[in-house]
Amino acid sequence: MRYAVFDLGSNSIKFVVAETRSGRVRVLHEQSISTRLAEHLIDTCELRPEAIARTLDALRELRAQATEMGVEHFRAVATSAVRDSRNRRVFLKAAKEVLGFPVRLLSGDEEAETIFAGVTADPHWHGKDLFILDVGGGSAEWVQGHHGKKEKRISLPLGAVRLRERFLHEYPVAHDTGALLVETVRGQISHPLAHYSLGARRLVGTGGTITCLAAIEKELVDFDPRKIDHTSLTIEQVRNLMHRFCGLTLEQLKKLPGLPPKRIDLIIPGTAVVLATMEFLGAKRIYVSVRGLRYGVLTAAISEYEPKMSSPPRSRVSKKHA
């Protein structure tokens, strides 16, 4: 059987197609299209017509690809931008018409739980003690786990797009502004995460920010998830990257190997969330996972139609994922 998952995020749509055969799961294709669905959402509390149009166009393209690949089962989920918008019903209706099936709107808690399921479906992390951070466009999620089981989870409106629109209004970003942003994020997570603890758990990051940080550190001109998945960054490396980003113009950021054009203006606010989290938890290192929400949705879909399937998906991520 073939499955397709559409993850309608605040910054991009992530798309994955997988196949089950002989008791195994194999990812055939992954792609990410930047649509900035959350653009100016903080000002209007509504999804802008232009952002909706971009997202529907991308969905139309991806739906056609899924049909060409012979997909039999489909899943689509929407997250922060849609759940925080006043016109979400209008968007969800239009998305259903394009896809031919309904989009499930996830709550923040459901998003966090699904991210945890996606990361822990990876054999490398399966059954281990993890603390997962996902930095999205509209929200960020923190999930504390033990032996592969979720213990606590929380979702906060601290995504990279939202933080950029709230705090960063010109480039280059001054170093003291960057430091203030990290301090502000740390202050906003200190109370919600007061009863969370890293302990002996490994801090694992997922989402566009952490994969970009790893790619930039390795100076990857061409994004290759196999070269960054399961690698790690120390807190000193993250601090140095944050310092490096501040003071650069958008044109200078654009020239950094490993930083795709669609994330140029999001790398500083996204890094601020990563750094603030590491400082708050006392984490010396953060590990990279190229999986996340879409893999959690995929795993759940396969379990529904093929409950006896026990093998987690083997990733074969395309370079369009960045």
Side-chain angles (χ1 to χ4, degrees):
M1 292 187 182
R2 289 192 172 184
Y3 299 81
V5 171
F6 304 77
D7 170 8
L8 284 60
S10 301
N11 182 55
S12 61
I13 296 176
K14 290 184 171 60
F15 172 67
V16 58
V17 175
E19 177 183 73
T20 58
R21 185 186 296 272
S22 301
R24 308 296 296 178
V25 183
R26 186 167 65 102
V27 172
L28 303 176
H29 176 69
E30 282 203 67
Q31 189 171 345
S32 176
I33 300 178
S34 177
T35 63
R36 288 289 170 96
L37 186 58
E39 186 177 52
H40 300 302
L41 178 64
I42 195 171
D43 298 322
T44 65
C45 296
E46 290 191 348
L47 303 173
R48 291 168 63 90
E50 309 94 285
I52 291 176
R54 290 194 299 267
T55 302
L56 294 179
D57 286 345
L59 286 177
R60 200 170 286 110
E61 173 188 333
L62 296 173
R63 181 64 173 84
Q65 288 186 35
T67 300
E68 290 176 3
M69 296 183 72
V71 170
E72 300 161 283
H73 302 293
F74 300 86
R75 289 290 185 275
V77 295
T79 54
S80 177
V82 180
R83 65 174 174 257
D84 293 342
S85 63
R86 290 189 301 222
N87 58 341
R88 56 184 172 273
R89 291 184 180 179
V90 174
F91 171 76
L92 290 172
K93 180 181 179 181
K96 179 181 178 181
E97 291 175 354
V98 168
L99 292 172
F101 58 91
V103 176
R104 181 186 174 195
L105 180 58
L106 300 179
S107 68
D109 286 347
E110 289 173 330
E111 182 175 0
E113 291 170 2
T114 309
I115 289 167
F116 185 81
V119 173
T120 55
D122 183 345
H124 185 81
W125 298 120
H126 189 67
K128 295 183 179 179
D129 292 349
L130 303 178
F131 196 118
I132 296 172
L133 165 66
D134 180 276
V135 183
S139 66
E141 285 71 39
W142 293 260
V143 191
Q144 180 178 312
H146 179 63
H147 290 341
K149 303 294 183 181
K150 171 186 60 65
E151 294 177 309
K152 303 176 183 178
R153 77 281 189 268
I154 192 170
S155 175
L156 299 173
L158 295 173
V161 174
R162 198 183 299 260
L163 288 175
R164 181 187 62 78
E165 293 186 354
R166 285 176 61 191
F167 298 107
L168 304 182
H169 306 296
E170 60 180 23
Y171 285 81
V173 175
H175 287 92
D176 57 350
T177 301
L180 180 60
L181 179 57
V182 174
E183 183 180 341
T184 300
V185 174
R186 193 167 62 243
Q188 294 195 16
I189 68 176
S190 60
H191 180 68
L193 296 180
H195 299 292
Y196 286 63
S197 174
L198 181 62
R201 300 172 185 83
R202 290 190 177 187
L203 179 62
V204 178
T206 184
T209 293
I210 192 66
T211 55
C212 282
L213 289 177
I216 294 168
E217 184 67 21
K218 291 181 176 294
E219 298 184 346
L220 296 182
V221 177
D222 295 319
F223 183 81
D224 186 345
R226 294 168 298 182
K227 294 182 179 180
I228 61 173
D229 199 20
H230 308 147
T231 62
S232 66
L233 294 164
T234 66
I235 190 169
E236 289 81 10
Q237 288 175 312
V238 176
R239 282 200 185 107
N240 290 339
L241 286 169
M242 184 67 172
H243 186 269
R244 181 181 175 188
F245 300 150
C246 292
L248 296 182
T249 65
L250 290 175
E251 282 300 313
Q252 290 171 323
L253 285 168
K254 187 177 182 179
K255 295 177 182 179
L256 291 178
L259 182 58
K262 67 181 181 181
R263 291 197 175 274
I264 291 171
D265 62 336
L266 301 182
I267 193 62
I268 291 176
T271 304
V273 178
V274 175
L275 184 54
T277 298
M278 295 183 76
E279 290 180 348
F280 178 78
L281 294 174
K284 296 181 179 180
R285 187 178 296 274
I286 184 169
Y287 293 83
V288 180
S289 173
V290 299
R291 305 187 183 217
L293 183 73
R294 65 201 179 281
Y295 272 86
V297 176
L298 174 62
T299 301
I302 293 173
S303 296
E304 178 180 342
Y305 287 100
E306 303 175 74
K308 294 184 180 180
M309 287 288 298
S310 58
S311 173
R314 289 186 172 182
S315 178
R316 190 178 68 82
V317 188
S318 75
K319 293 182 180 180
K320 295 182 180 180
H321 171 72

